[in-house]
Amino acid sequence: MQNNKKGLFITFEGIDGCGKTTQINLVNNYLKSKNFNTILTLEPGGSDIGKNLRQILLHHEGFVDDMCELLLYLADRAQHTASVILENINKGNIVLCDRYIDSTVAYQGYARGFDIEKINFLNEIATKGYKPDITFLFDTDTDTAQKRIGNVKDRLEKENINFHNKVRNGYLELAKNNKRIKVINSNQTIEEIFDEVKKYIDEIL
Ligand code: TYD
């Protein structure tokens, strides 16, 4: 395990509607059944301050500048990493986090168009350089994902299909160059997807 930390840090990524929330809950139940101490958390919104930032990021009505959006996600990450993630890992817990650094690369980098190197630098600052031990990328086509989202959409989900395709392709590009990221074909049943995830979890435990 990296950085001599005691716990484990597992992140879940993918486009909106990819089914990651179902899988994170299944992983949580699986680990609890094996008597591991887990904490389930998310970005944006996993810390006290983050709850307010999530409200702004997902539900603010009216103009939001792209740079403002980017920096709010990073502010959320800094507070969350410092007050929730590192603390729990240092206690020896397994932290399961719904979205983390790769979301910013995919959404604000590949989809909004910010320079990826700059995002990597900002992520480095916000996380103090700390990285997940393993990341699951739930990959599904954007049509299937849109159907799963349904009609009630938040600010990001309301972006057009072109945006979501850029996010998806960005994630896949990121996974190509990063062994930490495991791509899971999410056009399968919930059980089939979980079987794949479980194999990696068993390996890392
Ligand atoms: P999510 O919690 O997955 O949405 P939901 O609760 O509807 O499942 O994610 C919130 C949104 O924020 C999602 O559209 C992706 C976006 N996001 C970014 O654009 N950049 C980021 O760095 C993060 C963490 C999320």
Side-chain angles (χ1 to χ4, degrees):
M1 212 177 301
Q2 63 181 17
N3 295 358
N4 299 321
K5 301 285 186 206
K6 289 179 279 175
L8 262 184
F9 182 28
I10 307 176
T11 59
F12 295 71
E13 296 280 357
I15 60 172
D16 292 281
C18 68
K20 66 184 163 43
T21 309
T22 306
Q23 294 298 322
I24 202 171
N25 285 318
L26 289 171
V27 171
N28 192 29
N29 292 340
Y30 180 65
L31 291 171
K32 279 189 187 304
S33 78
K34 290 181 167 288
N35 291 322
F36 286 101
N37 287 328
T38 60
I39 84 132
L40 202 56
T41 187
L42 83 172
E43 288 196 1
S47 66
D48 46 3
I49 291 176
K51 288 190 180 71
N52 294 325
L53 296 176
R54 181 177 176 92
Q55 182 61 26
I56 298 169
L57 281 162
L58 301 193
H59 304 293
H60 180 77
E61 285 173 18
F63 174 69
V64 179
D65 175 60
D66 285 352
M67 179 59 83
C68 172
E69 176 187 280
L70 169 66
L71 295 176
L72 287 179
Y73 277 116
L74 268 302
D76 173 71
R77 182 156 307 131
Q79 180 74 8
H80 187 217
T81 303
S83 67
V84 177
I85 296 173
L86 291 180
E87 238 187 78
N88 274 282
I89 287 167
N90 287 332
K91 279 186 202 154
N93 295 334
I94 299 181
V95 176
L96 305 174
C97 187
D98 194 336
R99 299 193 180 282
Y100 200 57
I101 46 176
D102 306 313
S103 280
T104 315
V105 177
Y107 281 79
Q108 280 65 49
Y110 285 100
R112 292 270 192 243
F114 281 103
D115 180 64
I116 306 295
E117 284 309 310
K118 284 192 182 134
I119 291 188
N120 289 340
F121 176 71
L122 291 171
N123 266 333
E124 191 82 11
I125 297 174
T127 62
K128 302 181 172 79
Y130 197 69
K131 297 250 173 0
D133 294 290
I134 187 169
T135 297
F136 294 105
L137 169 55
F138 297 95
D139 181 57
T140 189
D141 65 275
T142 42
D143 287 339
T144 306
Q146 285 297 309
K147 283 186 198 121
R148 284 200 192 122
I149 295 171
N151 291 328
V152 184
K153 294 183 175 176
D154 65 39
R155 202 176 60 82
L156 275 288
E157 288 165 348
K158 282 181 193 151
E159 290 288 342
N160 64 28
I161 200 82
N162 184 35
F163 178 89
H164 293 290
N165 276 319
K166 284 188 196 162
V167 175
R168 182 190 184 194
N169 293 332
Y171 268 129
L172 291 174
E173 194 60 34
L174 194 53
K176 264 193 221 159
N177 306 315
N178 210 322
K179 272 173 50 192
R180 161 178 65 83
I181 304 175
K182 312 295 177 198
V183 182
I184 310 287
N185 169 12
S186 299
N187 281 4
Q188 310 180 78
T189 65
I190 290 172
E191 293 74 23
E192 285 166 339
I193 298 170
F194 184 58
D195 275 349
E196 278 193 33
V197 171
K198 201 162 64 179
K199 281 190 196 124
Y200 286 113
I201 297 279
D202 288 338
E203 266 173 34
I204 200 173
L205 288 175

